[in-house]
Amino acid sequence: MNEDLQKRIQEALANPQNLGELANADAVGTVGNADCGEMLRLWVKFKQQDGRKVIDRATFQSFGCETAIAVASLATELIRGKTAEEALSLKTEELAGELGPLPPMKIHCAQLVEGALRSALSPQVAAGDKPAGFAATAADPAAPTLLDSFSKPKAGGVKITFLDLGPEK
Ligand code: FES
């Protein structure tokens, strides 16, 4: 990893945005990468604005990987004010924002964030912008934190999707 990128990642990590569980979230998505063991969970809350359902706030929890944390911090800021469709149309490199292009070995870190976003928002898109669908796809308020997923596993609890990102480059 070049020094500039490392510096930008460190800057993002020095003041990570939107870290932690989001109470009363409307949607939640959790993904994992079996190769590196990283997991990431994203919470999303919507609001109505000018007749559109837009993302009011998004937060995340992540284990370990600095690049994934930096991307999640930037991405959760980037998607504020966007509809689910607009957020889902963002490309992996756009989610990484001011970090700039990631080296091949770190692209999967941004893909993890993208995967969590898709996991959280896809049901929202499927349900459309109708308030009824909105309520039907609301996140389970009793959903455990990411840490709880490991320390207190329960039957029928959290579904973690492992991304197939292909061979490590
Ligand atoms: Fe795997 Fe970053 S090293 S998500």
Side-chain angles (χ1 to χ4, degrees):
M1 201 174 343
N2 70 45
E3 261 179 50
D4 275 358
L5 176 59
Q6 189 61 45
K7 194 169 158 227
R8 289 194 294 274
I9 289 174
Q10 290 307 323
E11 281 169 4
L13 290 174
N15 185 24
Q17 304 297 302
N18 309 311
L19 196 55
E21 190 177 351
L22 180 59
N24 303 316
D26 298 306
V28 58
T30 305
V31 292
N33 182 317
D35 287 338
C36 67
E38 175 63 293
M39 291 206 169
L40 194 134
R41 178 169 295 170
L42 200 80
W43 287 265
V44 180
K45 187 151 188 57
F46 290 90
K47 67 177 178 184
Q48 289 292 336
Q49 183 177 288
D50 301 327
R52 303 189 327 150
K53 189 174 81 177
V54 299
I55 295 167
D56 183 27
R57 182 136 194 252
T59 67
F60 72 97
Q61 281 185 338
S62 174
F63 284 120
C65 168
E66 293 186 341
T67 306
I69 292 171
V71 173
S73 172
L74 294 166
T76 48
E77 282 295 296
L78 185 69
I79 62 176
R80 278 180 119 147
K82 296 190 186 316
T83 64
E85 289 88 346
E86 288 166 347
L88 287 170
S89 72
L90 293 168
K91 297 186 173 66
T92 312
E93 58 272 20
E94 291 174 310
L95 291 173
E98 60 204 48
L99 289 183
L102 298 172
M105 63 183 290
K106 286 291 173 186
I107 287 173
H108 82 272
C109 309
Q111 287 173 329
L112 198 74
V113 177
E114 184 182 10
L117 193 62
R118 292 194 181 290
S119 172
L121 295 184
S122 290
Q124 298 290 325
V125 172
D129 274 347
K130 300 177 193 72
F134 185 20
T137 55
D140 176 3
T145 65
L146 191 51
L147 188 57
D148 287 341
S149 305
F150 297 98
S151 57
K152 297 180 223 159
K154 50 182 183 179
V158 176
K159 179 176 174 245
I160 295 174
T161 307
F162 284 92
L163 302 176
D164 180 9
L165 301 175
E168 190 82 21
K169 294 178 189 115

